[in-house]
Amino acid sequence: MSMITIESLNTASQADFVRALDGTYEHSPWIAERAWGQRPFASLAALKLALVQAVRSATRDEQLALVRAHPELAGKAMVAKALTAESTNEQTTSGLTNCSPEEFAKLQQLNADYNAKFGWPFILAVRGPRGTGLTRAEIIATFERRLAGHPDFELAECLRNIHRIAEMRLDDKFGEAPALGNQVWDWAEKLAEHTDPGYAELGQLTVTYLTDAHRACAQRLSKWMHDCGFDEVSIDAVGNVVGIYHGHDRNAKRLLTGSHYDTVRNGGKYDGRIGILVPMACVRELSAQGKRLPYGFEVVGFAEEEGQRYKATFLGSGALTGHFDERWFEQADADGITMREAMRHAGLCIEDIPKLERDASKYLGFVELHIEQGPVLNELDLPLGIVTSINGSVRYLCEVVGMASHAGTTPMDRRRDAASAVAELALFLEKRAAADGDSVGTIGMLQVPNGSINVVPGRCLFSLDLRAPTDAQRDALVRDVLAEAEAISERRGVGFKAEETLRACAAPSDASWQQRWERAVEALGLPPHRMPSGAGHDAMKLHEVMPQAMLFMRGLNSGISHNPLEAISNDDTELAVRAFQNLLNQLATELT
Amino acid sequence: MSMITIESLNTASQADFVRALDGTYEHSPWIAERAWGQRPFASLAALKLALVQAVRSATRDEQLALVRAHPELAGKAMVAKALTAESTNEQTTSGLTNCSPEEFAKLQQLNADYNAKFGWPFILAVRGPRGTGLTRAEIIATFERRLAGHPDFELAECLRNIHRIAEMRLDDKFGEAPALGNQVWDWAEKLAEHTDPGYAELGQLTVTYLTDAHRACAQRLSKWMHDCGFDEVSIDAVGNVVGIYHGHDRNAKRLLTGSHYDTVRNGGKYDGRIGILVPMACVRELSAQGKRLPYGFEVVGFAEEEGQRYKATFLGSGALTGHFDERWFEQADADGITMREAMRHAGLCIEDIPKLERDASKYLGFVELHIEQGPVLNELDLPLGIVTSINGSVRYLCEVVGMASHAGTTPMDRRRDAASAVAELALFLEKRAAADGDSVGTIGMLQVPNGSINVVPGRCLFSLDLRAPTDAQRDALVRDVLAEAEAISERRGVGFKAEETLRACAAPSDASWQQRWERAVEALGLPPHRMPSGAGHDAMKLHEVMPQAMLFMRGLNSGISHNPLEAISNDDTELAVRAFQNLLNQLATELT
């Protein structure tokens, strides 16, 4: 197959266009036909998005026809099993060759169950997010997981997989391998080999502050930074890995970037980490080309953001803003090891912590790339998003105390059911947060302690997490929710208590830096989708001392995060590296 | 003080009546004034109830004035501390003498907190449910517990304590000590000395099937039955304690009664047990008077009703109806001891179990006295209630599966929050059950497994317990609740599963036996308050083979049960014994 180019497609007739893209989407030339009208395409990414948009704006029947145009995965397995030599790249890498009889039977069963539930074939991009193929175990696990889903969601997931298959076919057609994305993806995979004791056996990723795995990650990151060509690499007094790629002038102001390399327990491989690895890839390219920027570029792998081993969230970035809290030293972890002991054990020189505070006047600003950790980009089929603000948030741990009583003998009108009161609040919260459009409110923890099937709940514990893009909006939400909790409690004759455990101010993006990200994304041929960040990030800390703005990358699997299913594709990662390169180049142009 | 009598009061002028009752209620002659209109009183119990009703129908301001007419308990403590010789019986027995400085300070603090919260003095009948006085520790614990309550509830609790104080004052005035009630109360206290290993240290009562404590209880009960004058006493092949008091004719049909002596873990002293001890007191009186009935009277202490050590609920009564399940033999307890081993260890002859099945044609019926285990009688200020039906019930363990996602990053309209779905169902359940009037529905177990403050719940586990006086009413309730669960799940795009774990048929009381209880209660001068039993009882098993009807006794502390706070008063217990005696006498009259 001869390679095609965007230039040739942009000038092709509709018939030639459709012919050139034949095989991208299974037996569905209408997709290319409709996308043709969107020419010219600025990039392959723009073409991919136009094809996606054609499917997005199709009717549900057309979407279902597209799904049904695909052979069943179990059918493929049967073919793969029958073939002694594999005929296509997809089958070679699909992992479905050499199924054991048990696996084959399992797939057949899943297939039957799936068809019975959804009525269309299960579609999975078996080459996976790295393009190198899922294992049979991964395929079966995904099949099982998706079988449990809701039909609406599963149809959308099939379409997303179809787009991913199309994307890889287009990469092949265009001869465009996402080399930079692959590099970052592989680094992340390698870094994920290190996990805390007890988690390796479970196949889970957990890297908490200053454990052996954590220190191994720091070691790897610093080694890779060296290899990338950073001029200075060091592990600082709190364990941050700091790489500096000097500008023409060593004393030039610097652009600061970075994110964290610690994880939550049983977390994902990309949360935080791609915000270190992507700028590393940028430096690697600059260094390989012997190119210097008219400013310094400082990349920091923050040692602690998640607050898992110690309640010291944002310890890493906080050290740079002078907010290291010395009371943390005496905090003990679950094994009774204080942070002071852990730091000494890691050879960190805690006397130097105050020296980590950055002089903001020597910095141009702070940018951070992060996986979205939410479903928005995934649902919109967009690889990148521009953060407008990091939402302000407040958290409470709450308790409702009613009166425990016998479930059989207490008439409905004589109850003080603590859980029903919380149920009423949960529904209010849902409506009230939705009314704002972009506020969110969550009861994530909920339990009736020692609840019995035949006892009316006398106590109910729950958490409240309330967020909004501005502090004023957040505070109005908080006020309404707490007032409603009081009103419900008064009416139901139960007691309500709320203990505030966190209050974080909103961190709106700096307008100039946000615009730089927007231009960087637009230069890729992609729309600059603007969105708030619902999660907190290191940028919130740096926000306190310098202008900041963030770029989000799409998370697969509905953007699930803090979970092993967290995933990114190599193509999206490629786009993230290129966006970051665009930002660096823009800034260089501005400063020269 | 010369004793007064009901006869003299019934013919007294209002002024004399009020004067005679002076001091019964603190500085509140209006109560006696209003009760006077209710003459004649059939009994002291009827007089007490008329006084209670006068307070119940008073305004809230009048009730508050009554409460405020009482001195503060902490003030009493101060007086008690200051006095070297105690001046009144109440102070002697109040336990407030000889307070340590710490206890005194604690009481002062509680008093201050209580006044700040409620604005009226804390009222506690310090002579307690047996009339012999609460300990200082009990007083302080009660004070602390009630301080946490809701004001409406606490006001009612103060009034109940005022009525209890008045009751004991009236007993003194009338020279009527509840000797039979005291006997039963003291037996129950003695029986509660036996508790399973590990619970004694905690001061908790736990008596599970065939433990040493359980066997000691059987031993005590059989000894007491002998002492009471039962003709035959034995421990049967499953551990039931069976006492027979023959009628004139040893072959006469028998009236069967009884309840269980096992307890839940950390349970109460009266659940089940008073249903054995009260009829024992009746036999004791009959025997002391050398009186025989024209029918046999068989009292059974059932060995197992709670299904705690083994999942073998109603084992004791089930053995009498031929429903002992031989599969139970191989069930192991938490320590791996099978029921067969436990029975052998206890010297029970399991071959004889089939012989325990009763020939229903030789019985007149089954009656059971039980503590209500609910708040109804306590709230209505009634000592006894007539059971119309033991509610039918169905239980489910349920799961809602939504999609876990980040609480900050998942917009409200993109969530599949499993807990919100359950919250919606909880509110529906509450309304739907209330609509029936006498159905009940409870979500007693509720939890988001491994919930995190910042994660939208992907899963929520909960239980459903649905009960109604007839099977048809129960089934309609079940149908509506499950249909709503499906509708909510469909709308919210979550999955719902329910596993039925129990289904018990309703057991309506036999009309004739229910009427006998009604007449027995009316003969005490009390109204025959009719009510369903929300809890299951041994009578449910006997219902399968013979007519049955139950009598309920008021539980103090809102009728709390399966809890160490479960309580009954000696006066109520006296009434229960007298009601049972009335029933026995009625039946004797009917049969002669």
Side-chain angles (χ1 to χ4, degrees):
Chain A
M1 197 195 298
S2 68
M3 296 303 166
I4 48 177
T5 63
I6 281 293
E7 293 69 30
S8 64
L9 281 181
N10 277 341
T11 55
S13 68
Q14 190 179 36
D16 285 347
F17 183 87
V18 171
R19 200 172 307 115
L21 296 178
D22 183 42
T24 305
Y25 285 88
E26 212 78 22
H27 309 299
S28 304
W30 58 270
I31 300 170
E33 279 163 21
R34 294 180 195 177
W36 179 76
Q38 303 302 313
R39 289 165 312 145
F41 303 107
S43 62
L44 175 54
L47 169 63
K48 288 173 179 172
L49 189 57
L51 293 165
V52 166
Q53 295 297 350
V55 175
R56 287 180 68 87
S57 56
T59 65
R60 188 182 159 96
D61 281 347
E62 288 172 328
Q63 292 175 343
L64 273 171
L66 170 61
V67 170
R68 294 204 171 106
H70 288 72
E72 290 182 349
L73 191 74
K76 280 196 198 176
M78 207 176 304
V79 171
K81 219 177 146 61
L83 290 173
T84 46
E86 296 82 27
S87 57
T88 75
N89 186 33
E90 280 167 29
Q91 280 170 357
T92 309
T93 55
S94 72
L96 287 177
T97 50
N98 306 316
C99 271
S100 70
E102 294 72 28
E103 287 168 332
F104 186 68
K106 177 82 186 169
L107 276 169
Q108 295 289 103
Q109 183 59 50
L110 286 167
N111 202 53
D113 294 347
Y114 188 95
N115 279 333
K117 175 167 180 184
F118 299 112
W120 62 71
F122 174 68
I123 315 281
L124 176 63
V126 289
R127 282 173 64 191
R130 174 61 172 84
T132 46
L134 300 173
T135 64
R136 291 192 300 279
E138 285 172 327
I139 292 171
I140 290 172
T142 306
F143 211 156
E144 285 179 324
R145 179 165 52 80
R146 284 174 46 188
L147 186 52
H150 192 271
D152 293 346
F153 179 81
E154 180 52 20
L155 176 59
E157 192 67 12
C158 283
L159 293 175
R160 282 190 282 269
N161 274 275
I162 287 169
H163 295 315
R164 175 62 183 158
I165 292 166
E167 169 164 80
M168 290 186 282
R169 288 175 177 171
L170 287 169
D171 287 348
D172 291 344
K173 273 184 195 290
F174 282 74
E176 287 203 12
L180 297 168
N182 285 342
Q183 172 66 71
V184 169
W185 207 98
D186 293 346
W187 272 334
E189 198 67 14
K190 197 84 187 158
L191 207 56
E193 289 173 2
H194 303 285
T195 186
D196 285 353
Y199 294 90
E201 298 81 332
L202 302 169
Q204 295 182 355
L205 178 62
T206 301
V207 178
T208 60
Y209 191 48
L210 295 184
T211 59
D212 283 355
H214 185 270
R215 293 162 61 206
C217 287
Q219 174 54 33
R220 276 216 194 254
L221 286 171
S222 60
K223 167 71 165 60
W224 291 336
M225 283 187 181
H226 272 296
D227 295 347
C228 285
F230 280 84
D231 301 304
E232 298 176 24
V233 179
S234 61
I235 296 175
D236 75 14
V238 297
N240 294 330
V241 184
V242 182
I244 300 168
Y245 188 67
H246 286 298
H248 301 299
D249 173 2
R250 285 199 154 226
N251 296 315
K253 282 193 180 186
R254 291 180 193 160
L255 171 61
L256 187 64
T257 191
S259 194
H260 61 98
Y261 65 90
D262 68 322
T263 75
V264 297
R265 294 179 209 286
N266 194 22
K269 299 169 184 170
Y270 311 103
D271 174 6
R273 295 168 171 207
I274 55 160
I276 310 165
L277 302 174
V278 164
M280 276 168 54
C282 294
V283 169
R284 186 166 173 268
E285 293 304 297
L286 288 168
S287 173
Q289 296 160 25
K291 208 174 144 186
R292 289 281 164 187
L293 297 162
Y295 53 89
F297 187 37
E298 183 172 340
V299 180
V300 186
F302 295 116
E304 212 302 327
E305 190 256 20
E306 300 283 11
Q308 297 279 313
R309 183 176 177 187
Y310 299 100
K311 297 274 165 246
T313 308
F314 298 115
L315 181 154
S317 46
L320 271 62
T321 61
H323 292 107
F324 185 91
D325 186 339
E326 300 217 336
R327 286 171 300 182
W328 288 338
F329 283 140
E330 308 314 326
Q331 247 198 78
D333 70 3
D335 297 322
I337 300 167
T338 64
M339 187 187 288
R340 185 190 296 280
E341 288 163 351
M343 291 175 117
R344 187 177 300 142
H345 176 73
L348 300 182
C349 180
I350 62 175
E351 293 74 25
D352 288 347
I353 294 176
K355 300 182 197 161
L356 302 184
E357 185 175 352
R358 298 301 195 268
D359 176 356
S361 71
K362 297 186 175 161
Y363 287 85
L364 296 163
F366 179 78
V367 291
E368 182 177 358
L369 170 77
H370 206 281
I371 187 168
E372 182 200 332
Q373 303 187 278
V376 177
L377 294 172
N378 188 63
E379 282 194 28
L380 294 175
D381 292 312
L382 291 175
L384 299 171
I386 318 291
V387 175
T388 55
S389 176
I390 303 172
N391 283 352
S393 63
V394 183
R395 291 182 182 170
Y396 295 91
L397 289 176
C398 307
E399 179 180 29
V400 167
V401 177
M403 195 174 282
S405 57
H406 194 295
T409 63
T410 315
M412 297 310 289
D413 60 359
R414 295 229 166 79
R415 296 180 172 210
R416 292 169 195 266
D417 185 327
S420 295
V422 178
E424 201 176 336
L425 184 65
L427 296 186
F428 174 83
L429 172 66
E430 214 178 23
K431 278 203 194 110
R432 174 60 185 80
D436 281 346
D438 52 3
S439 293
V440 285
T442 307
I443 291 179
M445 295 161 77
L446 174 66
Q447 66 157 325
V448 172
N450 304 314
S452 293
I453 202 163
N454 61 342
V455 177
V456 176
R459 220 166 133 236
C460 188
L461 304 177
F462 64 105
S463 61
L464 277 175
D465 180 304
L466 306 166
R467 312 191 196 197
T470 69
D471 291 346
Q473 184 176 324
R474 174 203 63 187
D475 293 343
L477 174 67
V478 168
R479 204 159 47 236
D480 288 357
V481 169
L482 294 184
E484 181 70 13
E486 293 293 347
I488 291 168
S489 301
E490 176 60 30
R491 184 161 22 81
R492 288 180 173 265
V494 298
F496 168 73
K497 276 192 296 197
E499 184 199 349
E500 185 177 309
T501 60
L502 177 143
R503 177 171 290 260
C505 292
S509 299
D510 174 77
S512 312
W513 283 104
Q514 183 183 323
Q515 280 163 21
R516 287 189 189 100
W517 278 128
E518 290 171 8
R519 286 195 299 268
V521 169
E522 286 174 309
L524 297 171
L526 293 171
H529 180 75
R530 296 171 190 87
M531 58 192 298
S533 167
H537 296 291
D538 290 302
M540 285 172 79
K541 288 309 291 179
L542 278 306
H543 180 85
E544 297 169 14
V545 296
M546 62 180 82
Q548 61 79 24
M550 292 185 70
L551 179 68
F552 271 173
M553 244 185 91
R554 159 166 59 189
L556 308 182
N557 296 324
S558 298
I560 195 167
S561 186
H562 290 186
N563 187 294
L565 288 174
E566 183 184 82
I568 57 175
S569 77
N570 57 351
D571 284 275
D572 286 358
T573 313
E574 176 82 14
L575 292 169
V577 177
R578 292 198 181 280
F580 215 122
Q581 288 176 323
N582 289 348
L583 180 102
L584 295 178
N585 291 336
Q586 266 181 57
L587 187 61
T589 310
E590 285 179 47
L591 294 177
T592 45
Chain B
M1 195 193 302
S2 68
M3 297 300 165
I4 48 178
T5 63
I6 282 293
E7 293 69 28
S8 64
L9 282 182
N10 277 342
T11 54
S13 68
Q14 190 179 34
D16 285 347
F17 184 87
V18 171
R19 200 171 306 115
L21 296 178
D22 183 41
T24 305
Y25 284 89
E26 212 77 21
H27 308 300
S28 304
W30 59 269
I31 300 170
E33 278 164 20
R34 294 180 196 177
W36 180 75
Q38 303 302 313
R39 289 165 311 147
F41 302 107
S43 63
L44 176 55
L47 169 63
K48 288 174 180 174
L49 190 57
L51 294 165
V52 166
Q53 295 298 350
V55 175
R56 287 179 68 85
S57 56
T59 65
R60 188 181 158 97
D61 282 347
E62 288 172 327
Q63 292 175 343
L64 273 172
L66 170 61
V67 170
R68 294 205 172 106
H70 288 72
E72 290 183 352
L73 191 74
K76 281 197 196 174
M78 209 175 308
V79 171
K81 219 177 145 58
L83 289 173
T84 46
E86 295 83 27
S87 57
T88 75
N89 186 33
E90 278 167 30
Q91 279 170 356
T92 308
T93 54
S94 74
L96 286 178
T97 49
N98 304 317
C99 271
S100 71
E102 294 72 27
E103 287 168 332
F104 186 67
K106 177 82 186 170
L107 276 169
Q108 295 289 100
Q109 183 59 51
L110 285 168
N111 202 52
D113 294 348
Y114 188 95
N115 279 334
K117 175 167 179 183
F118 299 113
W120 63 71
F122 174 68
I123 315 280
L124 176 63
V126 288
R127 282 172 65 188
R130 173 62 170 82
T132 46
L134 299 173
T135 64
R136 290 192 300 279
E138 284 171 327
I139 291 171
I140 290 172
T142 306
F143 211 156
E144 285 179 322
R145 181 165 52 79
R146 284 174 46 188
L147 186 52
H150 191 273
D152 292 347
F153 179 82
E154 180 52 22
L155 176 59
E157 193 67 12
C158 283
L159 294 175
R160 282 190 283 268
N161 274 275
I162 286 170
H163 294 315
R164 175 62 184 157
I165 292 167
E167 169 164 81
M168 290 185 282
R169 289 175 177 171
L170 286 168
D171 287 349
D172 290 345
K173 274 186 195 289
F174 281 75
E176 287 203 13
L180 297 169
N182 285 342
Q183 171 67 70
V184 169
W185 207 99
D186 293 346
W187 272 335
E189 198 67 13
K190 196 86 187 155
L191 207 57
E193 288 173 3
H194 303 286
T195 186
D196 284 353
Y199 294 91
E201 298 81 331
L202 301 170
Q204 295 181 354
L205 177 62
T206 301
V207 178
T208 61
Y209 191 49
L210 296 183
T211 59
D212 283 355
H214 185 271
R215 292 162 61 206
C217 287
Q219 175 53 33
R220 277 216 193 254
L221 286 172
S222 60
K223 167 72 165 60
W224 290 336
M225 284 188 181
H226 272 296
D227 294 347
C228 285
F230 280 85
D231 300 304
E232 297 177 25
V233 179
S234 60
I235 297 177
D236 75 13
V238 298
N240 294 330
V241 184
V242 184
I244 299 168
Y245 188 68
H246 286 298
H248 302 299
D249 173 2
R250 284 199 156 228
N251 297 316
K253 282 194 181 187
R254 291 180 192 160
L255 171 62
L256 188 65
T257 191
S259 195
H260 61 97
Y261 65 90
D262 67 323
T263 76
V264 297
R265 294 178 210 287
N266 194 22
K269 298 171 183 170
Y270 311 103
D271 173 7
R273 296 169 170 204
I274 54 161
I276 311 165
L277 302 174
V278 164
M280 275 167 56
C282 295
V283 169
R284 187 166 171 268
E285 294 303 296
L286 288 170
S287 174
Q289 297 159 23
K291 206 172 144 189
R292 289 281 165 187
L293 298 163
Y295 53 89
F297 188 36
E298 181 172 339
V299 180
V300 185
F302 294 116
E304 211 302 329
E305 190 257 17
E306 300 283 10
Q308 297 279 314
R309 183 176 176 187
Y310 300 100
K311 297 274 163 246
T313 309
F314 298 115
L315 181 155
S317 46
L320 270 63
T321 61
H323 291 105
F324 184 91
D325 186 340
E326 300 216 337
R327 285 170 302 183
W328 289 338
F329 284 140
E330 308 314 326
Q331 249 197 79
D333 71 3
D335 297 323
I337 301 167
T338 64
M339 187 187 288
R340 184 190 298 279
E341 287 163 352
M343 290 175 118
R344 186 177 301 140
H345 176 74
L348 300 182
C349 180
I350 62 176
E351 295 74 26
D352 287 346
I353 294 177
K355 299 183 198 159
L356 302 185
E357 185 175 353
R358 298 299 195 268
D359 176 355
S361 71
K362 297 188 174 159
Y363 287 86
L364 296 163
F366 178 78
V367 291
E368 182 176 357
L369 170 77
H370 206 282
I371 187 167
E372 182 200 333
Q373 302 187 280
V376 176
L377 294 173
N378 189 61
E379 282 194 26
L380 294 175
D381 292 312
L382 291 173
L384 299 171
I386 318 290
V387 175
T388 54
S389 176
I390 303 172
N391 283 352
S393 64
V394 183
R395 291 182 182 171
Y396 295 91
L397 289 176
C398 307
E399 179 180 27
V400 167
V401 177
M403 195 175 283
S405 57
H406 193 294
T409 63
T410 314
M412 297 311 289
D413 60 358
R414 294 226 166 80
R415 297 182 171 208
R416 292 168 194 267
D417 185 328
S420 296
V422 178
E424 201 176 334
L425 184 65
L427 296 186
F428 174 84
L429 172 66
E430 214 179 22
K431 277 204 193 109
R432 174 61 185 77
D436 281 346
D438 52 5
S439 293
V440 285
T442 307
I443 291 179
M445 295 161 76
L446 174 65
Q447 65 157 326
V448 172
N450 304 311
S452 293
I453 201 163
N454 62 341
V455 176
V456 177
R459 222 167 130 234
C460 188
L461 304 177
F462 64 105
S463 61
L464 277 175
D465 180 306
L466 305 166
R467 312 191 195 195
T470 68
D471 291 346
Q473 184 176 325
R474 174 202 64 186
D475 293 342
L477 175 67
V478 168
R479 204 161 45 237
D480 288 356
V481 170
L482 294 184
E484 182 69 12
E486 293 292 347
I488 291 168
S489 301
E490 175 61 28
R491 185 161 20 82
R492 289 179 173 266
V494 298
F496 168 74
K497 276 192 296 197
E499 184 199 348
E500 184 178 309
T501 61
L502 177 143
R503 178 172 288 260
C505 292
S509 299
D510 175 78
S512 312
W513 282 104
Q514 183 183 322
Q515 280 164 21
R516 287 189 189 100
W517 277 127
E518 290 171 8
R519 285 195 299 266
V521 169
E522 285 174 311
L524 297 172
L526 293 172
H529 180 75
R530 296 170 189 87
M531 59 193 297
S533 167
H537 297 291
D538 290 303
M540 283 172 81
K541 287 309 290 179
L542 277 307
H543 180 86
E544 297 169 15
V545 297
M546 62 180 81
Q548 61 79 25
M550 292 185 70
L551 179 67
F552 271 171
M553 241 185 94
R554 158 165 62 188
L556 308 182
N557 296 325
S558 297
I560 196 167
S561 185
H562 290 185
N563 188 296
L565 289 174
E566 183 185 84
I568 57 176
S569 76
N570 57 351
D571 284 275
D572 286 358
T573 312
E574 176 82 15
L575 291 169
V577 178
R578 294 198 180 280
F580 215 122
Q581 288 176 322
N582 289 349
L583 179 103
L584 295 178
N585 291 336
Q586 266 181 56
L587 187 60
T589 309
E590 284 178 49
L591 294 177
T592 47

